[in-house]
Amino acid sequence: MRRKNQYKKIIRMMATVLALLLMTSLFNGCGKKAEDIQTAYQEPDLITVGFSQVGAESDWRVANTESFRKTMTRSNGVDLMYDDAQQKQDKQIIAIRNFVQQEVDYIVLAPVMETGWDTVLQEANDANIPVIIVDRMVDVEDTSLYKAWIGSDFKREGKIACEWLNKFTIAKGIAPEDINIVDIQGTEGATSQIGRTNGLTEAATLYGWNILAMESADYAQTKGKEVVANLLKQYDNINVVYCENDNEAMGAIEAIEEAGKNPGTDIENGEILVISFDAAHSGLSQVLAGKIALDVECNPLQGEEVLNVINAIENGEEYNKYTYINESIFALDDTVKSVNVDDTNYDITIVTEDIMNSREY
């Protein structure tokens, strides 16, 4: 356990003892026993965790926050201090500095983007406060500035989606040159955006698909609808919309339908195939309805993994520097039963009502 934590625990214990002595003195004449006072007053020795969250821009993000709130509880020995950055990096930097000033035991950061963290993470390191990165990655010169990272392999997610599209179009007899894609990107510079975009661009080069446009919608439904509506006016041959999260996909579906077109998999008869990421309940409901063809899971339930790392550090135990969360792939039919990416086979799950009812988010 870190020396700083030991000092803080000693200080809290001393404060508790002094308070007990004072209360014993005050209540002594009223017949109160010291042990009764101690039982009433005792406070658990909590680990303070400052959590800087990106915001609440999507259903995935809300589920991610809820995962931490359900896990980082006083009953689990944690006092969670939560800060919503509203998708602004400068607000996250301010939050981290506030956590440092408050001498929290740990800082958990879900970064808006990859770059720009060296200085403030060095400040946390100088204060001997371990930092754990979740979801998106940070690009820092010194990786010892954070103790661990927990999240998803976003490029692998993109490669899985593209391999599914390749196998799907082959099964349907659609030529690669007839695939016309628009990429509705996430927040520019975010690890998830970089990975999913790169997965698509590499596959398009490999298979000969046409990428008509790439525009960011910041993972938001309203902006996703706006971007897709504008692209549909610019291009009359779009037949694949590659959305980098569920909320963008739902916005895209609205735009497609309002333009008098149908989201679906019958590309040859004018339908527009929508691919999405996250596999939140809202996204999977659109798969079940036949409007999203494929939804690659990005698991937001990261709170327990983070708590495991914190407990390992507290107990001087070994833990993984990098942890990938387990994830699945969901489709509306069994045209493609599995895909192979980087020598690993991934089964495709058909969405059913039972699956929807069993989901945690």
Side-chain angles (χ1 to χ4, degrees), residues 4-66:
K4 177 189 169 189
N5 266 3
Q6 291 177 324
Y7 289 156
K8 290 177 71 175
K9 292 177 190 298
I10 291 170
I11 291 170
R12 285 197 288 261
M13 289 173 61
M14 291 176 64
T16 301
V17 170
L18 289 173
L20 286 170
L21 289 172
L22 177 60
M23 292 174 70
T24 301
S25 175
L26 288 172
F27 287 103
N28 197 38
C30 301
K32 283 276 188 181
K33 295 181 180 179
E35 56 267 28
D36 293 337
I37 298 169
Q38 181 175 356
T39 300
Y41 181 79
Q42 263 184 342
E43 183 85 10
D45 190 15
L46 300 174
I47 298 169
T48 56
V49 177
F51 178 30
S52 175
Q53 176 63 285
V54 171
E57 78 284 357
S58 65
D59 295 348
W60 188 96
R61 188 65 55 190
V62 172
N64 183 245
T65 298
E66 187 62 19

Side-chain angles (χ1 to χ4, degrees), residues 57-60 219-221 245-252 278 282:
E57 78 284 357
S58 65
D59 295 348
W60 188 96
Y219 295 122
Q221 184 166 337
N245 86 330
D246 282 341
N247 287 82
E248 290 179 343
M250 289 187 288
D278 282 359
S282 54

Side-chain angles (χ1 to χ4, degrees), residues 35-197:
E35 56 267 28
D36 293 337
I37 298 169
Q38 181 175 356
T39 300
Y41 181 79
Q42 263 184 342
E43 183 85 10
D45 190 15
L46 300 174
I47 298 169
T48 56
V49 177
F51 178 30
S52 175
Q53 176 63 285
V54 171
E57 78 284 357
S58 65
D59 295 348
W60 188 96
R61 188 65 55 190
V62 172
N64 183 245
T65 298
E66 187 62 19
S67 171
F68 281 92
R69 285 182 165 152
K70 284 183 176 180
T71 306
M72 304 287 177
T73 61
R74 297 177 76 84
S75 61
N76 283 335
V78 177
D79 181 14
L80 181 66
M81 302 167 64
Y82 173 79
D83 185 87
D84 182 340
Q86 300 175 333
Q87 289 197 289
K88 294 180 174 60
Q89 185 178 34
D90 58 341
K91 287 182 177 289
Q92 290 200 291
I93 291 172
I94 291 170
I96 291 171
R97 286 180 172 147
N98 286 339
F99 291 148
V100 170
Q101 289 178 355
Q102 294 173 74
E103 296 187 319
V104 299
D105 294 317
Y106 293 85
I107 291 173
V108 177
L109 170 64
V112 174
M113 60 186 64
E114 289 193 355
T115 58
W117 301 104
D118 296 79
T119 300
V120 73
L121 293 189
Q122 183 64 59
E123 292 171 16
N125 186 67
D126 292 342
N128 202 25
I129 300 175
V131 175
I132 299 169
I133 309 298
V134 296
D135 182 28
R136 305 167 186 175
M137 179 54 80
V138 293
D139 182 6
V140 291
E141 188 173 342
D142 180 5
T143 58
S144 70
L145 293 179
Y146 59 90
K147 293 293 184 183
W149 170 86
I150 295 165
S152 301
D153 188 335
F154 300 110
K155 186 171 182 180
R156 182 179 62 190
E157 291 176 356
K159 292 169 76 172
I160 287 171
C162 291
E163 188 56 32
W164 177 90
L165 179 60
N166 178 55
K167 293 187 71 173
F168 182 88
T169 54
I170 290 173
K172 296 296 184 180
I174 302 169
E177 60 269 22
D178 293 332
I179 301 300
N180 301 304
I181 305 171
V182 291
D183 180 11
I184 313 306
Q185 298 171 300
T187 302
E188 278 190 72
T191 312
S192 47
Q193 177 271 311
I194 293 169
R196 291 167 187 165
T197 296

Side-chain angles (χ1 to χ4, degrees), residues 2 8 13 130 174 221 232 262 273 286 289 297 308 323:
R2 295 173 301 113
K8 290 177 71 175
M13 289 173 61
I174 302 169
Q221 184 166 337
L232 287 170
N262 293 319
L273 188 149
Q286 296 300 305
E297 183 178 31
N308 288 341
T323 300

Side-chain angles (χ1 to χ4, degrees), residues 1 307-320:
M1 187 181 295
L307 184 58
N308 288 341
V309 169
I310 288 174
N311 287 331
I313 295 173
E314 286 287 298
N315 297 324
E317 299 169 351
E318 291 186 0
Y319 60 92
N320 293 326

